[in-house]
Amino acid sequence: RVYGNIIPSQNRAQKLLVTREPVGVCSLITPWNFPCAMIARKVGPAFAAGCTVVLKPSEETPLTAIALAVMAEEAGLPNGVFNVATVSSSDVQSVGERLCTHPNVRKISFTGSNPTGKKLLKFASEGVKKTSLELGGNAPFIVFNDANIDDAIDGLILSKFRFGGQTCVCPNRLLIESKIAEEFTEKLIKRIEKFEIGDPTISSMDIGPLINSKAVEKAKIFLNFSFEI
């Protein structure tokens, strides 16, 4: 439960009270890569504030959302508080627009790509709705001359290659100070060459598949671009 505050006033005859009230129906749109955690991070605070939600999970991973909704119902959550809308890939844009423009929706929360975030923000602006966007970036991984190279490579492997590089916090650029750039590159290549690629349910594997063919094509574009520069 979310509580309010009493703030000290300069005037002893006054009290400043801060109350927190539910904003209303929240449209929550989550990505595929952390289908349980991302839902929990959005749904939990909404419930704590007293809001009802309409959740649209990724069309790639809808079953986790359905399972969470079933568990919420079994735990005694009233009907209509936790609503899940699963859609096919062909209906994603129209449903996303509806979730942002419906007059009963007062708040939108989205985690995903920049292009999609821009579209949703445009839809939400028509009703001047409260909007929270967690979008993609172009994060660098920076290593200075005085760094422990082996430790830096361990950190890069952990941050860049988990989930096959398919998380929103994966670094997209390496900025290595010139003095150690050659040594860093050589050691990194040796580590990557040892990766085992295959079925991620097998514990000995280091890298599993990408989520779909579109992701594969995107990876090829980045690879070809790196050779060009």
Side-chain angles (χ1 to χ4, degrees), residues 91-151:
D91 295 326
V92 167
Q93 181 164 330
S94 61
V95 173
E97 180 177 0
R98 183 64 171 166
L99 289 175
C100 291
T101 58
H102 193 282
N104 289 346
V105 171
R106 303 299 299 275
K107 163 78 178 181
I108 296 103
S109 177
F110 168 73
T111 298
S113 69
N114 288 326
T116 302
K118 291 178 180 179
K119 291 180 181 179
L120 297 179
L121 186 59
K122 182 178 180 180
F123 295 146
S125 68
E126 296 178 5
V128 197
K129 299 179 186 293
K130 298 179 183 296
T131 307
S132 299
L133 304 176
E134 181 187 8
L135 308 180
N138 194 24
F141 188 91
I142 305 173
V143 185
F144 294 104
N145 287 335
D146 59 350
N148 182 302
I149 294 179
D150 292 330
D151 287 346

Side-chain angles (χ1 to χ4, degrees), residues 3-215:
Y3 296 96
N5 294 314
I6 299 177
I7 301 175
S9 172
Q10 294 179 343
N11 186 340
R12 294 186 177 181
Q14 295 178 342
K15 286 185 178 181
L16 303 180
L17 305 179
V18 177
T19 60
R20 293 183 171 89
E21 299 178 357
V23 69
V25 178
C26 299
S27 290
L28 312 178
I29 304 175
T30 56
W32 67 266
N33 52 3
F34 293 99
C36 184
M38 292 305 306
I39 293 173
R41 286 174 57 184
K42 294 181 185 296
V43 169
F47 288 166
C51 299
T52 58
V53 306
V54 179
L55 169 70
K56 191 204 80 63
S58 168
E59 64 276 14
E60 303 287 353
T61 53
L63 298 183
T64 300
I66 295 173
L68 288 173
V70 170
M71 287 188 288
E73 183 179 5
E74 292 175 346
L77 200 68
N79 291 335
V81 174
F82 187 9
N83 308 279
V84 178
T86 60
V87 301
S88 63
S89 57
S90 61
D91 295 326
V92 167
Q93 181 164 330
S94 61
V95 173
E97 180 177 0
R98 183 64 171 166
L99 289 175
C100 291
T101 58
H102 193 282
N104 289 346
V105 171
R106 303 299 299 275
K107 163 78 178 181
I108 296 103
S109 177
F110 168 73
T111 298
S113 69
N114 288 326
T116 302
K118 291 178 180 179
K119 291 180 181 179
L120 297 179
L121 186 59
K122 182 178 180 180
F123 295 146
S125 68
E126 296 178 5
V128 197
K129 299 179 186 293
K130 298 179 183 296
T131 307
S132 299
L133 304 176
E134 181 187 8
L135 308 180
N138 194 24
F141 188 91
I142 305 173
V143 185
F144 294 104
N145 287 335
D146 59 350
N148 182 302
I149 294 179
D150 292 330
D151 287 346
I153 291 176
D154 287 341
L156 175 61
I157 296 295
L158 178 63
S159 61
K160 177 59 183 175
F161 291 97
R162 67 170 181 165
F163 273 34
Q166 302 174 101
T167 75
C168 59
V169 295
C170 286
N172 294 326
R173 299 176 289 158
L174 302 182
L175 302 180
I176 315 300
E177 204 162 0
S178 57
K179 184 178 179 180
I180 61 170
E182 184 175 352
E183 180 183 1
F184 185 93
T185 301
E186 291 176 353
K187 288 188 174 182
L188 178 60
I189 291 174
K190 289 180 180 178
R191 286 285 299 276
I192 294 175
E193 287 176 341
K194 295 179 181 179
F195 282 178
E196 293 289 336
I197 302 175
D199 185 346
T201 62
I202 301 174
S203 60
S204 61
M205 296 298 164
D206 298 300
I207 299 289
L210 298 180
I211 183 63
N212 53 30
S213 58
K214 184 178 179 180

